[in-house]
């Protein structure tokens, strides 16, 4: 029975979230009802986003990343929201989920588990998204070097070459070069534009690229061979990093399982087992969980320190 309640809770969370993002098909609900629900929901999000705790939460980089990711999804559903409203929707769905978990577990401990899950899941998702973006940027850099070499070798000016990269390259690198070209056309100096480019692109070879472009602007020296060689070196570095990731994948997966499995087990048992809830409510049970969590955290820090020293 408890397992059935948990499944119903999960289904309720999914259904509530689907409705919150406007996923109710038009054929099952009138357009007026949907627009009215969206207006009420927007008003609720505005009130929630105006609360001081919510403002501090939404100011964190992880939640800003959540807002940037959720807003386009809502726009594809016909709902235009800004970053704060998207974060408010996610927070509202999380509150609904915590309430359902508390109802399913018949204890406030379920809500606590839900809050902890959101508090851990958002930074982990943000970290994973940033790593994926960094890998994509590293993969883009060799082609960026080659495109710059071709543009400069064809006689284009620095501004024209940077603008060419911004137009023809996709992804984060292309957008950064497009903004740098706009700065140059608006009157910024070459040094200022290159400093802005280096600040936006955290990838191998960017420092060399910006320095070489500044020198080329001042002296007119050709950079085709330099950029082609840099492209080969950046490709080789990317291949080595991918090989290292493959070689250490099993170890990293084992570390994640060992560190996360105890927390997941405690959370699941807190939701489905009344006896475990009663034991956890005792001083001895609470102290045991806190000691275990502290030891798990220290072990994770030790592993990170060892891996940082090796890599």
């Amino acid at each position: 029975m408890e397992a059935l309640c948990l499944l119903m809770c999960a289904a309720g969370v999914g259904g509530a979230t689907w409705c919150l993002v406007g996923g109710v098909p038009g054929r099952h609900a009138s357009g007026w009802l949907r627009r009215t629900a969206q207006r009420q929901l927007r008003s609720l999000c505005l009130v929630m986003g105006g609360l001081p705790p919510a403002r501090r939460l939404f100011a964190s980089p992880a939640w800003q990343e959540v807002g940037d990711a959720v807003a386009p999804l809502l726009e594809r559903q016909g709902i235009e929201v800004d970053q704060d409203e998207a974060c408010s929707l996610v927070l509202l769905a999380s509150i609904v989920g915590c309430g359902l978990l508390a109802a399913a577990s018949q204890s406030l401990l379920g809500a606590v588990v839900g809050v902890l899950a959101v508090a851990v899941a958002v930074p982990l998702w943000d970290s994973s998204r940033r790593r994926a973006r960094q890998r994509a940027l590293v993969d883009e850099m060799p082609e960026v070097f080659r495109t710059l070499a071709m543009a400069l070798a064809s006689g284009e000016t620095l501004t024209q070459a940077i603008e060419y990269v911004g137009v023809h390259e996709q992804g984060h690198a292309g957008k950064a070069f497009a903004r740098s070209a706009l700065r140059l056309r608006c009157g910024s100096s070459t040094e200022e534009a290159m400093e802005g480019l280096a600040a936006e692109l955290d990838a191998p070879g960017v420092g060399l690229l910006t320095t070489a472009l500044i020198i080329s602007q001042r002296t007119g020296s050709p950079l085709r061979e330099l950029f082609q060689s840099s492209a080969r070196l950046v490709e080789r570095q990317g291949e080595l990093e991918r090989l290292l990731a493959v070689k250490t994948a099993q170890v990293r997966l084992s570390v994640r399982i060992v560190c996360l499995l105890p927390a997941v087990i405690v959370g699941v048992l807190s939701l489905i087992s009344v006896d475990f809830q009663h034991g956890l409510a005792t001083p001895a049970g609470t102290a045991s969980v806190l000691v275990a969590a502290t030891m798990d955290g220290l072990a994770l820090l030790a592993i990170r320190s060892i891996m940082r020293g090796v890599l």
Side-chain angles (χ1 to χ4, degrees), residues 26-283:
R27 61 178 179 269
H28 294 304
S30 65
W32 175 84
L33 181 60
R34 183 173 180 176
R35 288 192 298 270
T36 302
Q38 289 178 2
R39 284 197 299 269
Q40 296 297 326
L41 187 59
R42 184 184 293 271
S43 300
L44 181 59
C45 290
L46 289 175
V47 173
M48 181 179 295
L51 298 176
R55 289 202 301 268
R56 288 193 294 268
L57 183 66
F58 297 163
S60 64
W63 276 89
Q64 290 178 357
E65 191 74 18
V66 169
D68 292 338
V70 173
L73 298 178
L74 296 176
E75 289 180 1
R76 285 197 286 269
Q77 297 289 337
I79 307 174
E80 295 184 1
V81 295
D82 57 18
Q83 185 186 75
D84 288 344
E85 289 176 342
C87 291
S88 298
L89 279 173
V90 175
L91 182 59
L92 183 60
S94 302
I95 293 174
V96 172
C98 292
L100 291 173
L101 287 176
S105 62
Q106 300 178 359
S107 171
L108 290 178
L109 191 59
V112 174
V113 171
V115 171
L116 293 177
V118 173
V120 173
V122 170
L124 288 179
W125 177 85
D126 175 60
S127 177
S128 176
R129 186 178 173 88
R130 291 180 185 276
R131 286 196 301 269
R133 187 185 298 124
Q134 181 67 21
R135 289 194 297 268
L137 179 59
V138 171
D139 293 338
E140 294 172 11
M141 290 311 298
E143 191 61 31
V144 168
F145 278 105
R146 292 193 177 93
T147 305
L148 271 176
M150 180 183 65
L152 293 173
S154 63
E156 293 186 348
T157 64
L158 176 63
T159 302
Q160 291 173 337
I162 293 177
E163 188 173 6
Y164 182 83
V165 174
V167 171
H168 290 84
E169 291 297 325
Q170 304 297 323
H172 187 61
K175 295 178 182 178
F177 272 89
R179 286 190 289 268
S180 295
L182 181 60
R183 295 190 191 102
L184 290 172
R185 290 193 176 278
C186 291
S188 297
S189 65
T190 303
E191 290 79 5
E192 292 174 347
M194 293 302 100
E195 287 178 1
L197 181 63
E200 291 186 46
L201 295 180
D202 183 16
V206 174
L208 171 65
L209 183 147
T210 55
T211 303
L213 288 176
I214 293 174
I215 294 175
S216 176
Q217 176 70 11
R218 291 177 178 177
T219 64
S221 57
L223 298 174
R224 180 178 181 180
E225 295 297 329
L226 175 62
F227 284 157
Q228 288 179 345
S229 300
S230 299
R232 290 191 293 269
L233 291 175
V234 172
E235 277 184 336
R236 182 58 179 167
Q237 180 177 351
E239 292 174 358
L240 292 176
E241 289 179 353
R242 285 190 291 271
L243 179 61
L244 180 62
V246 171
K247 296 294 185 181
T248 59
Q250 183 176 357
V251 176
R252 289 185 284 111
L253 180 61
S254 300
V255 170
R256 291 170 182 169
I257 292 176
V258 170
C259 293
L260 292 178
L261 190 59
V264 172
I265 291 176
V266 171
V268 172
L269 290 177
S270 300
L271 294 175
I272 65 176
S273 176
V274 178
D275 293 336
F276 188 84
Q277 294 173 9
H278 293 163
L280 191 61
T282 62

